[in-house]
């Protein structure tokens, strides 16, 4: 369903008339909020890509907790495509989250895990049925703050018809945008990476997000994560975003999930 044309208006009028459209959901991690000017926007598809162990799922779990604080009485939909939902880790993070906010009665009273609605899918037909059959029925009766897909990559790994795959990408993003317009929630996906070798030198290997240009052209904002093998710190880089400038920051993972990395006393960055 196309949105009705409401006439032209100024940028300031848009921000005041439709403020909820531009709401951002905090990651609950200060460095990630600084990099994204507040968190995950409630319009478009927000992606975090990175190599294994860089913290993609940890960030998704932290977002699932933070979103319930940001949007009272809302739930989170979490679609797993690669592994079983890490319930034990979530409960550990929730316990630590409450311990670090002892005087916040709303946090202490809420059972966060009960409001994270989990679905497991393994293939494209199951993903499509989940997103466009079961999800709309859920949205009709339950308010959600964030839809998390962890990861968008796995269902498409066996797909060899790239034309059909690109059409499916467009259908997913288009239909999710329509649902966002109706129900005002953020869409957050994780993505795997693949190695690309420079054909000229055959040794200049770099990691790029999986699924190629057909998917990348549909992503609203992308962050890329990387590990430092000599440190527990991870690096997050802004790859693109319509209102973001290229920059990076560092984080690490503790009992509560992702947190800001400790800045060195000499002022150098954590991984230096």
């Amino acid at each position: 369903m196309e949105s009705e044309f409401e006439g032209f208006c100024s940028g300031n009028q848009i921000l005041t008339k439709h403020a909820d459209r531009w709401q951002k959901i905090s990651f609950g991690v200060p460095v990630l909020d600084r990099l994204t000017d507040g968190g995950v926007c409630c319009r478009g598809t927000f992606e975090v890509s990175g190599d294994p162990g860089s913290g993609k799922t940890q960030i998704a779990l932290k977002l699932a907790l933070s979103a319930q604080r940001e949007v009272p009485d809302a739930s989170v939909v979490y679609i797993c495509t690669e592994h079983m939902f890490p319930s034990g880790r979530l409960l550990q993070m929730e316990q630590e989250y409450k311990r670090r906010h002892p005087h916040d009665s709303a946090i202490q009273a809420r059972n966060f895990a009960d409001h994270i609605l989990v679905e497991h899918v393994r293939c494209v037909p199951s993903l499509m049925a989940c997103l466009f059959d079961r999800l709309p029925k859920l949205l009709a009766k339950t308010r959600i703050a964030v839809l998390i897909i962890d990861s968008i990559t796995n269902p498409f790994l066996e797909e060899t018809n790239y034309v059909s795959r690109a059409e499916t990408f467009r259908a997913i993003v288009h239909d999710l945008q329509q649902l966002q317009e109706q129900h005002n929630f953020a869409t957050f996906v994780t993505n795997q990476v693949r190695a690309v070798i420079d054909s000229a030198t055959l040794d200049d290997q770099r990691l790029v997000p999986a699924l190629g240009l057909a998917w990348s052209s549909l992503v609203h904002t992308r962050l890329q994560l990387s590990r430092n093998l000599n440190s527990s710190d991870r690096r997050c880089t802004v790859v693109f975003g319509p209102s973001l400038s290229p920059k990076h920051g560092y984080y690490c993972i503790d009992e509560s999930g992702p947190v800001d990395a400790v800045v060195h006393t000499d002022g150098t960055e954590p991984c230096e």
Side-chain angles (χ1 to χ4, degrees):
M1 180 188 302
E2 296 292 335
S3 300
E4 292 185 10
F5 178 64
E6 300 176 351
F8 293 104
C9 58
S10 70
N12 284 333
Q13 289 173 326
I14 290 174
L15 291 176
T16 55
K17 184 178 181 180
H18 302 293
D20 59 339
R21 292 183 182 177
W22 318 116
Q23 175 187 6
K24 288 192 174 184
I25 307 298
S26 170
F27 282 99
V29 186
V31 64
L32 300 182
D33 287 344
R34 289 195 297 271
L35 291 174
T36 56
D37 291 338
V40 183
C41 185
C42 288
R43 292 296 182 274
T45 301
F46 191 110
E47 180 196 276
V48 166
S49 65
D51 48 309
S54 58
K56 300 185 296 295
T57 295
Q58 304 276 347
I59 290 174
L61 292 174
K62 191 72 169 275
L63 176 64
L65 295 175
S66 179
Q68 295 183 57
R69 186 185 185 189
E70 293 281 304
V71 185
D73 302 320
S75 297
V76 172
V77 172
Y78 199 116
I79 300 175
C80 298
T81 70
E82 295 184 30
H83 44 67
M84 296 299 292
F85 181 76
S87 301
R89 177 60 172 140
L90 173 68
L91 293 174
Q92 180 188 33
M93 290 172 62
E94 178 181 356
Q95 183 178 13
E96 186 66 18
Y97 192 55
K98 290 184 175 182
R99 190 186 71 80
R100 297 188 183 191
H101 297 86
H103 304 300
D104 191 319
S105 58
I107 289 179
Q108 296 300 320
R110 188 171 183 83
N111 190 337
F112 289 85
D114 283 350
H115 297 278
I116 299 176
L117 311 176
V118 180
E119 181 74 83
H120 294 88
V121 302
R122 290 292 183 269
C123 61
V124 175
S126 295
L127 177 63
M128 299 297 281
C130 179
L131 290 176
F132 307 120
D133 182 15
R134 297 190 290 276
L135 179 61
K137 294 175 182 177
L138 174 67
L139 288 169
K141 58 183 180 181
T142 303
R143 184 184 184 189
I144 74 166
V146 182
L147 165 67
I148 296 172
I149 305 176
D150 183 23
S151 72
I152 192 65
T153 324
N154 202 58
F156 295 96
L157 290 178
E158 303 300 323
E159 179 63 64
T160 58
N161 186 331
Y162 296 110
V163 173
S164 175
R165 190 174 78 165
E167 291 175 349
T168 303
F169 291 158
R170 289 194 294 272
I172 288 174
V173 172
H174 176 271
D175 289 355
L176 283 178
Q177 287 175 340
Q178 296 299 309
L179 290 175
Q180 284 179 315
E181 284 293 322
Q182 297 173 42
H183 302 283
N184 199 48
F185 60 89
T187 298
F188 176 90
V189 305
T190 66
N191 194 358
Q192 298 174 11
V193 293
R194 57 188 176 88
V196 175
I197 299 177
D198 191 322
S199 59
T201 63
L202 298 181
D203 60 2
D204 185 15
Q205 178 175 302
R206 58 192 177 92
L207 297 177
V208 300
L211 302 183
L213 185 61
W215 169 254
S216 295
S217 63
L218 300 170
V219 173
H220 179 270
T221 302
R222 170 176 282 165
L223 305 182
Q224 186 149 352
L225 313 179
S226 58
R227 292 183 300 161
N228 179 4
L229 298 179
N230 299 317
S231 167
S232 62
D233 296 330
R234 279 88 162 168
R235 172 174 168 141
C236 177
T237 302
V238 176
V239 180
F240 59 75
S243 60
L244 304 181
S245 58
K247 47 193 171 183
H248 65 267
Y250 296 92
Y251 63 98
C252 57
I253 295 172
D254 65 10
E255 293 84 356
S256 69
V259 295
D260 286 19
V262 177
V263 178
H264 295 164
T265 55
D266 60 4
T268 58
E269 292 182 320
C271 288
E272 292 183 339

